[in-house]
Amino acid sequence: DPENFIARVKKILLTTRAIDFTSRLVFRILIVDSNPYDIDIEREMVEKNFPCDVFTAQSGLEGLFLLEENSVDLIIVSFKMPFMDGPKFLSFIRRDENLCKIPVIFMVAANERNLVGGTGSALARGYIRKPDFDKAGLMLIKNVLNEGKYWRK
């Protein structure tokens, strides 16, 4: 059916444009969080406070797939998620020569701060409260983005 084919092609083109980050005027940020309600708040907080293109993944695996096709300046990932938690996601990132330099910040809920620690956490640039980032969290994001300018392609 030609109409169905055209609709599918348009959908692919629109999706491709949505994650094609060619502008050098903005940062490219990946947010990974399994909670669909939190991820909307987190995206809004980042877009409101930084010149950026944000794309999101609702699992660590989806995040890894997105990183295969897209370069980013920062990854903000939930510490606690089902199947692949933040530290496990980070361990995959650090083992890949193309991704290992991307800074990663963990997001934790107020009642999860005591979970942050250990070897996996040491590889992250820090952690911020989720889903509504406080001033300290926004400052951490800003500092990491500004420091990362030297390795950005």
Side-chain angles (χ1 to χ4, degrees):
D1 175 17
E3 289 180 23
N4 191 13
F5 175 76
I6 292 171
R8 287 193 321 235
V9 169
K10 283 182 181 179
K11 183 178 179 182
I12 290 169
L13 291 175
L14 290 174
T15 303
T16 303
R17 263 190 244 127
I19 56 176
D20 179 23
F21 302 114
T22 57
S23 172
R24 292 295 180 215
L25 300 174
V26 298
F27 293 104
R28 296 170 304 249
I29 299 173
L30 169 63
I31 299 175
V32 183
D33 194 337
S34 59
N35 186 321
Y37 301 107
D38 287 355
I39 209 165
D40 288 339
I41 296 168
E42 295 152 3
R43 174 194 278 271
E44 184 179 316
M45 290 291 294
V46 170
E47 288 177 337
K48 186 171 104 177
N49 287 281
F50 302 100
C52 62
D53 286 323
V54 176
F55 62 109
T56 60
Q58 289 189 330
S59 72
L61 188 58
E62 182 183 1
L64 292 173
F65 284 133
L66 285 170
L67 289 169
E68 285 181 0
E69 300 296 323
N70 301 281
S71 65
V72 298
D73 300 297
L74 173 64
I75 300 168
I76 304 173
V77 60
S78 181
F79 189 83
K80 190 174 179 185
M81 295 185 294
F83 309 112
M84 183 187 296
D85 63 11
K88 187 70 169 174
F89 176 83
L90 180 57
S91 73
F92 280 101
I93 298 294
R94 294 297 178 244
R95 283 186 260 158
D96 185 295
E97 65 182 30
N98 297 317
L99 304 176
C100 65
K101 291 184 181 180
I102 302 171
V104 175
I105 296 174
F106 284 135
M107 297 181 289
V108 294
N111 63 347
E112 296 173 347
R113 288 192 183 230
N114 62 333
L115 299 175
V116 179
T119 312
S121 299
L123 298 173
R125 297 297 307 272
Y127 67 94
I128 57 179
R129 186 185 74 208
K130 67 176 261 189
D132 52 342
F133 308 147
D134 58 13
K135 287 183 182 179
L138 293 172
M139 185 58 69
L140 176 62
I141 294 170
K142 179 181 178 182
N143 291 338
V144 170
L145 287 171
N146 286 331
E147 290 169 9
K149 288 180 181 176
Y150 74 91
W151 61 265
R152 191 171 179 200
K153 294 178 182 175

